[in-house]
């Protein structure tokens, strides 16, 4: 068994991260498996260099040790590029020239804009552009993202499922995230593409993550099938909420481990404040 914790170095860890890390860590250690640390640092607009070390310090304080040198996604861009090329060759990608403003205008104009669990989805404006037009606009330097053609992808892969050890078996629904961005216009990859490529390259057998990412897993299964990558098992765990029921967010610095540590709380006590009684 191999599990991983994949934080973004955009802030200190809070209790929600601690829980995610402990779920992955404890699962692997109980089975005598490997536990990996991976920094999801592709968004250079949000990453701050000091957080790599601070996250490692927070984890060590919690009693979490990882196997191997932590991987940084920012150093793996050629791998994502290759995956993108494969998806393009399979006809499962298209370039999207829309700005956020174009998308909002189009969503407002059409009667039945597609919706997912996180709001409106991309309405597919660029899906029908001709190959020639796409090539001309790209060679003219028109800035573009690359999107998954979810309908085409489903035609290629057929029906897919994934298994979650807590929530059961799921039939993949390509409409949940729709034509999701796989390479941003400013960054040549995206969370979805990078996570799928890395989990396969690192031979992660059990992907544990918060249940807020359940919809993303549907898109990830499609990418794994398109890229001929192994299917991991999943465990979407509960989210840690503050006393008012709000889920913790990095930007509020809510219940950061640094603050809890300074207030004298012990790592053992932290474990007892998490949603499930995790045994060591
Ligand atoms: N960086 C993501 C997070 O912390 C990782 C999610 C995942 O495990 O795929 O939410």
């Amino acid at each position: 068994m191999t599990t991983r914790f994949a934080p973004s170095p955009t802030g200190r860890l809070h209790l929600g991260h601690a829980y995610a890390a402990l779920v992955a860590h404890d699962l692997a250690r109980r089975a005598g498996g490997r536990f990996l640390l991976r920094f999801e640092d592709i968004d250079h607009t949000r990453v701050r260099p000091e957080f790599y070390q601070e996250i490692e310090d927070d984890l060590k304080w919690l009693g979490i040790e990882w196997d191997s040198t932590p991987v940084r996604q920012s150093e793996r861009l050629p791998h994502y590029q290759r995956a993108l090329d494969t998806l393009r060759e399979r006809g499962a990608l298209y370039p999207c020239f829309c700005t956020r403003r174009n998308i909002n205008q189009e969503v407002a104009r059409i009667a039945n804009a597609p919706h997912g669990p996180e709001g409106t989805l991309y309405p597919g404006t660029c899906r029908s552009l001709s190959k020639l037009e796409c090539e001309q606009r790209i060679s003219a330097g028109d800035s573009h993202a690359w999107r998954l053609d979810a309908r085409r992808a489903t035609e290629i892969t057929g029906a897919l499922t994934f298994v979650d050890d807590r929530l059961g078996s799921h039939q993949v629904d390509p409409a949940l995230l729709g034509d999701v961005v796989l390479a941003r216009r400013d960054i040549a990859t995206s969370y979805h593409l990078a996570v799928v490529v890395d989990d396969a390259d690192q031979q992660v057998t059990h992907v544990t993550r918060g249940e807020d990412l359940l919809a993303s897993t549907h898109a990830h299964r499609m990418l794994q099938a398109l890229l001929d990558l192994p299917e991991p098992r999943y465990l979407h765990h509960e989210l840690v909420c503050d006393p008012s029921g709000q889920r913790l967010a990095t930007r509020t610095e809510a219940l950061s481990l640094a603050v809890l540590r300074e207030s004298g709380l012990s790592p053992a006590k932290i474990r007892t404040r998490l949603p499930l009684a995790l045994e060591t």
Side-chain angles (χ1 to χ4, degrees):
M1 178 188 287
T2 300
T3 68
R4 82 315 190 258
F5 174 55
S8 295
T10 54
R12 294 298 293 253
L13 297 187
H14 56 56
L15 266 189
H17 298 116
Y19 183 56
L22 286 166
V23 167
H25 172 266
D26 292 3
L27 188 67
R29 293 298 182 231
R30 273 191 224 121
R34 291 193 313 149
F35 167 72
L36 307 175
L37 173 61
R38 180 170 77 220
F39 286 109
E40 302 216 324
D41 60 350
I42 49 177
D43 189 347
H44 51 77
T45 61
R46 296 178 54 230
V47 166
R48 296 232 318 265
E50 62 272 28
F51 290 130
Y52 294 95
Q53 189 57 52
E54 291 179 11
I55 286 174
E56 291 194 9
D57 293 346
D58 283 341
L59 290 174
K60 283 187 192 145
W61 177 73
L62 274 175
I64 291 181
E65 298 279 348
W66 48 94
D67 298 307
S68 324
T69 311
V71 161
R72 294 186 179 194
Q73 290 189 326
S74 56
E75 292 170 359
R76 291 180 39 81
L77 293 176
H79 297 270
Y80 312 138
Q81 193 55 53
R82 271 199 293 282
L84 215 54
D85 292 343
T86 305
L87 294 171
R88 198 179 298 110
E89 280 155 23
R90 300 205 70 181
L93 275 192
Y94 64 88
C96 172
F97 302 91
C98 295
T99 58
R100 173 102 341 252
R101 189 148 166 255
N102 297 148
I103 296 173
N104 291 341
Q105 283 168 346
E106 182 64 6
V107 165
R109 196 185 64 78
I110 53 179
N112 296 317
H115 270 75
E118 278 143 38
T120 46
L121 297 174
Y122 180 63
T125 321
C126 289
R127 195 193 303 126
S128 53
L129 294 179
S130 72
K131 208 165 177 258
L132 182 66
E133 182 173 353
C134 291
E135 281 167 7
Q136 281 170 347
R137 289 179 72 166
I138 290 172
S139 44
D142 233 357
S143 151
H144 58 283
W146 289 93
R147 287 185 181 273
L148 175 70
D149 187 334
R151 272 188 240 162
R152 177 81 193 104
T154 314
E155 284 164 18
I156 299 170
T157 63
L160 295 168
T161 55
F162 64 88
V163 182
D164 181 287
D165 288 337
R166 178 176 152 243
L167 305 171
S169 176
H170 291 252
Q171 180 93 33
V172 169
D173 179 357
L176 277 183
L177 290 197
D179 290 357
V180 74
V181 169
L182 296 185
R184 283 166 48 168
R185 52 174 66 220
D186 56 336
I187 298 170
T189 185
S190 67
Y191 159 66
H192 301 295
L193 184 68
V195 80
V196 163
V197 170
D198 288 348
D199 283 337
D201 283 355
Q202 295 189 284
Q203 296 171 315
V204 171
T205 59
H206 289 64
V207 171
T208 64
R209 58 164 68 117
E211 61 191 6
D212 54 329
L213 288 169
L214 189 62
S216 296
T217 299
H218 288 248
H220 298 178
R221 262 310 284 140
M222 294 169 76
L223 295 177
Q224 287 153 5
L226 289 165
L227 294 167
D228 254 333
L229 300 175
E231 174 190 353
R233 286 185 80 93
Y234 287 92
L235 175 69
H236 292 86
H237 56 74
E238 298 164 87
L239 300 177
V240 180
C241 293
D242 68 15
S244 69
Q246 290 288 309
R247 80 172 258 233
L248 305 185
T250 303
R251 59 189 174 279
T252 58
E253 287 184 16
L255 300 177
S256 82
L257 291 186
V259 169
L260 296 173
R261 180 166 56 194
E262 273 149 35
S263 74
L265 217 63
S266 69
K269 193 93 190 146
I270 298 268
R271 279 181 179 258
T272 64
R273 290 185 58 169
L274 295 171
L276 297 176
L278 291 163
E279 292 152 358
T280 39

